[in-house]
Amino acid sequence: MTPTQLRAYSAVVRCGSVKRAAAQLEVSESAVSLHIGQLRKELGDQLFSRSANGLTFTPGGLRLASRATELLGLQDITVLEVSAAGQGRRLLRVGASSLFAEHGAPGLIERFASRAADLDVELSVRNPGSFVRALIERRIDIAIGPPPVLPDPAVVCRPVMYYKVVTVAGPDHPLAGTQPSPRQLRDQTWLLGPSAAADRGAIPALLRRLGVPDDRQQIFQSHAAAIEEAKRGHGVAAALSFTVAPEVRKGHLVQFCGPHTGLEDVWHSLTLAETGAPSAAAELARFASTPRAIQAMMRGAGVNVGRFKPSIHVTLWS
């Protein structure tokens, strides 16, 4: 059983057909079929069959689908670790929600990485719903953001930092200086960062609670860009309280009051529960909830808008 065979099989599982898997891998269909045939022969299992609704997997085929992603993830991380070790360096891969990546991660990672001269930290922005799978498949070493909806025995979940999302607008907005009702807020144009499109988190929860329709939501490339539009009176925005507090004090923004205008939540760190989890990940999980780390996250809030990308991206600290 070779990595090439496993990659071909994983592609078939993801794409639902040999033809689409071949296109994704940029190889011929016959090459993919050859690799699948070799796996079937070696494992003594048909793995899957074609049906009117697509592919139907055998119990063994489903088990292989899970194991293949794990094995390929282990291969990838091994290549990275060997390369880093050869240079006398460690690599820590952090997955984060877009809200944490923009406002909490820069200060936290700068402070943490400065403690170890041999450590490089790679940051990628991910949907919180993919955290657990990314950890299990060894694509990241630690995730920080909203916790899983249901506990998973495969991961350890630790609280990192309490925060509050508030609703703000520019001083010239028609609702400025009032205590708007849920209906009034629902009817506004909402200026939002990429976290609004995530499957969980405080900002999506606030929008759902108010019942803000999709056509009232404008999503920008960063949360900072959305706040800038709110300052100009183009709508209302949901923001972290500690990031907009200085602008509220200066009068550049107005914060709305009322039980329906804000939401409290907690960022959590997620690491693999197994003892083989990277030690740097466990170190960061412990450090992230310390007063020094929280101070660094709040003081170092925000990144340059030009650097931020809402899709998965990588930033290196060394």
Side-chain angles (χ1 to χ4, degrees):
M1 189 160 38
T2 68
T4 303
Q5 293 169 351
L6 292 177
R7 289 189 195 283
Y9 184 72
S10 292
V12 171
V13 173
R14 284 195 309 273
C15 299
S17 78
V18 171
K19 182 177 181 178
R20 287 194 292 269
Q24 185 181 87
L25 295 172
E26 298 181 342
V27 298
S28 65
E29 290 182 47
S30 60
V32 173
S33 297
L34 175 63
H35 294 315
I36 298 301
Q38 291 170 333
L39 285 173
R40 284 170 167 165
K41 183 177 180 179
E42 181 176 350
L43 298 174
D45 192 297
Q46 186 64 19
L47 301 179
F48 63 85
S49 60
R50 293 179 176 82
S51 66
N53 296 322
L55 300 181
T56 301
F57 290 87
T58 67
L62 293 174
R63 178 63 60 87
L64 179 60
S66 174
R67 287 284 183 255
T69 53
E70 290 183 35
L71 290 169
L72 292 171
L74 283 172
Q75 182 193 30
D76 291 340
I77 193 174
T78 300
V79 171
L80 288 171
E81 288 177 344
V82 169
S83 176
Q87 302 172 29
R89 304 196 62 80
R90 295 179 295 160
L91 176 64
L92 176 63
R93 300 169 301 164
V94 180
S97 65
S98 60
L99 190 63
F100 181 81
E102 184 172 351
H103 294 296
L108 173 65
I109 294 177
E110 290 286 359
R111 178 61 64 89
F112 181 72
S114 67
R115 294 153 46 98
D118 66 335
L119 183 67
D120 292 331
V121 181
E122 177 187 282
L123 174 66
S124 61
V125 178
R126 297 175 181 272
N127 191 320
S130 70
F131 281 171
V132 173
R133 178 168 291 278
L135 284 165
I136 292 174
E137 294 178 356
R138 294 352 191 248
R139 286 184 275 127
I140 57 175
D141 305 312
I142 181 172
I144 304 180
V149 175
L150 299 173
D152 192 307
V155 300
V156 176
C157 189
R158 301 179 179 90
V160 169
M161 176 179 163
Y162 287 85
Y163 66 93
K164 184 176 181 179
V165 168
V166 296
T167 306
V168 296
D172 297 327
H173 191 278
L175 294 181
T178 71
Q179 186 170 323
S181 67
R183 182 173 181 176
Q184 286 177 305
L185 288 175
R186 187 183 309 122
D187 293 338
Q188 300 304 308
T189 296
W190 282 75
L191 310 168
L192 305 162
S195 65
D199 54 10
R200 69 185 64 135
I203 290 180
L206 177 63
L207 296 172
R208 286 194 297 268
R209 189 173 72 179
L210 290 170
V212 180
D214 290 346
D215 61 4
R216 289 289 184 179
Q217 300 179 32
Q218 294 183 13
I219 299 180
F220 292 79
Q221 191 178 16
S222 73
H223 300 89
I227 295 301
E228 287 301 315
E229 285 298 298
K231 287 182 187 178
R232 300 185 182 102
H234 295 164
V236 301
L240 291 175
S241 60
F242 69 85
T243 66
V244 296
E247 298 299 308
V248 172
R249 286 194 296 268
K250 295 174 185 176
H252 298 163
L253 287 171
V254 174
Q255 180 178 325
F256 295 119
C257 298
H260 50 272
T261 61
L263 197 66
E264 294 183 352
D265 206 346
V266 186
W267 281 321
H268 284 70
S269 67
L270 283 73
T271 55
L272 287 175
E274 61 191 47
T275 56
S279 59
E283 292 172 18
L284 178 56
R286 289 190 293 268
F287 175 72
S289 60
T290 64
R292 286 175 57 191
I294 292 173
Q295 185 182 43
M297 285 186 276
M298 295 181 69
R299 191 170 56 220
V303 294
N304 184 286
V305 175
R307 284 182 53 200
F308 184 79
K309 306 295 181 185
S311 57
I312 293 175
H313 72 288
V314 167
T315 306
L316 286 174
W317 278 258
S318 60

